[in-house]
Amino acid sequence: SLSTYAKQILSKEKELGAKEYKDIHQRHRTAMIELETNKMAVQDLERYYVALDKALLTFHRSRMEEVNKIIRELWQKTYRNQDIDYVQVKADTENAKSGSTRSYNYRVVMRSGDAELDMRGRCSAGQKVLACLIIRLALAEVFCLNCGILALDEPTTNLDPANSQSLAQSLHQLMEQRRNQDSFQLIVITHDEQFAHMIGKREHAETYYRISKDEYQHSKIREQLVDGS
């Protein structure tokens, strides 16, 4: 009946007057504004993520091209055999899950004509050492121009004399290119005295340090002139 509906309306109006429903229209409006603002922020973050991902891919691609260009040039200047034309670093992208960080699997390949093979398990110890050194030199050339400290520990291990001489020439060219850079330092630790003399040109350094042991097996460090005097 009408009286019943009227009582229900009065009851509901009384409930709406309770504290929990106070200013309900304004609170609903505020909540909707926050909801829409959060949606817009999520959309902006998604667009930012896509743009940043593309920028990182472009940067990574350009740097890899630059690194591989230097690797190829150094290999062809240094390697004295004819079985490998050049080596390069390949970056395979893993299928990343949505929202996760992109990752790469790096591998070193050797090229001969149109053939391409992974170097792992297929190259000699000398080829492996030379590839490691050349890759380090290329990475230093691309990424460390402002840092410029390059340390080589026994770089001629497993290298034949011809490749050792070529490596020394490459390092000499690197020192020539960086001679006006104040921050560049090349540190070489080696037992190969001939290699040390090949890279220890007087125009780059006047002295070097020789470490030896005395009769009591105590280490001694002596500074010597590059020309041997």
Side-chain angles (χ1 to χ4, degrees), residues 2 8 137 146 180 196-197 214 218:
L2 290 175
Q8 290 179 353
L137 289 172
N146 295 325
N180 294 324
H197 285 295
D214 59 18
H218 296 156

Side-chain angles (χ1 to χ4, degrees), residues 30-192:
T30 302
M32 290 302 298
I33 292 174
E34 290 181 356
L35 177 62
E36 294 301 320
T37 302
N38 287 335
K39 286 182 179 179
M40 293 172 63
V42 169
Q43 291 173 355
D44 289 344
L45 286 174
E46 288 178 349
R47 286 193 289 265
Y48 171 77
Y49 173 80
V50 172
L52 180 61
D53 191 51
K54 289 181 179 179
L56 288 174
L57 280 174
T58 302
F59 175 80
H60 181 269
R61 189 183 303 113
S62 66
R63 286 296 178 267
M64 287 300 299
E65 290 174 355
E66 193 172 351
V67 166
N68 280 322
K69 178 177 179 291
I70 296 174
I71 289 174
R72 180 169 182 165
E73 292 173 353
L74 288 175
W75 183 269
Q76 292 175 342
K77 288 179 182 178
T78 306
Y79 189 61
R80 286 294 175 257
N81 298 331
Q82 304 299 319
D83 54 330
I84 301 176
D85 294 338
Y86 62 92
V87 301
Q88 63 180 150
V89 178
K90 286 290 188 74
D92 301 323
T93 307
E94 290 187 347
N95 292 325
K97 296 180 180 178
S98 179
S100 62
T101 304
R102 184 184 302 273
S103 59
Y104 297 90
N105 287 324
Y106 295 95
R107 55 193 177 92
V108 181
V109 300
M110 50 188 179
R111 298 293 300 266
S112 180
D114 296 329
E116 177 182 295
L117 291 172
D118 284 349
M119 289 196 76
R120 183 185 295 274
R122 294 186 176 92
C123 62
S124 67
Q127 290 169 339
K128 185 184 299 184
V129 169
L130 186 60
C132 289
L133 289 171
I134 286 176
I135 290 171
R136 288 174 64 187
L137 289 172
L139 291 173
E141 189 71 15
V142 173
F143 294 105
C144 301
L145 288 177
N146 295 325
C147 177
I149 299 176
L150 179 64
L152 302 178
D153 187 4
E154 300 293 352
T156 57
T157 301
N158 295 318
L159 293 184
D160 57 36
N163 284 321
S164 293
Q165 183 176 1
S166 297
L167 177 61
Q169 292 172 354
S170 296
L171 291 175
H172 190 268
Q173 291 175 0
L174 177 64
M175 288 186 284
E176 282 289 337
Q177 295 169 359
R178 298 286 194 89
R179 66 184 306 167
N180 294 324
Q181 181 181 331
D182 294 337
S183 61
F184 179 70
Q185 294 185 51
L186 175 64
I187 302 172
V188 179
I189 304 168
T190 181
H191 286 85
D192 189 340

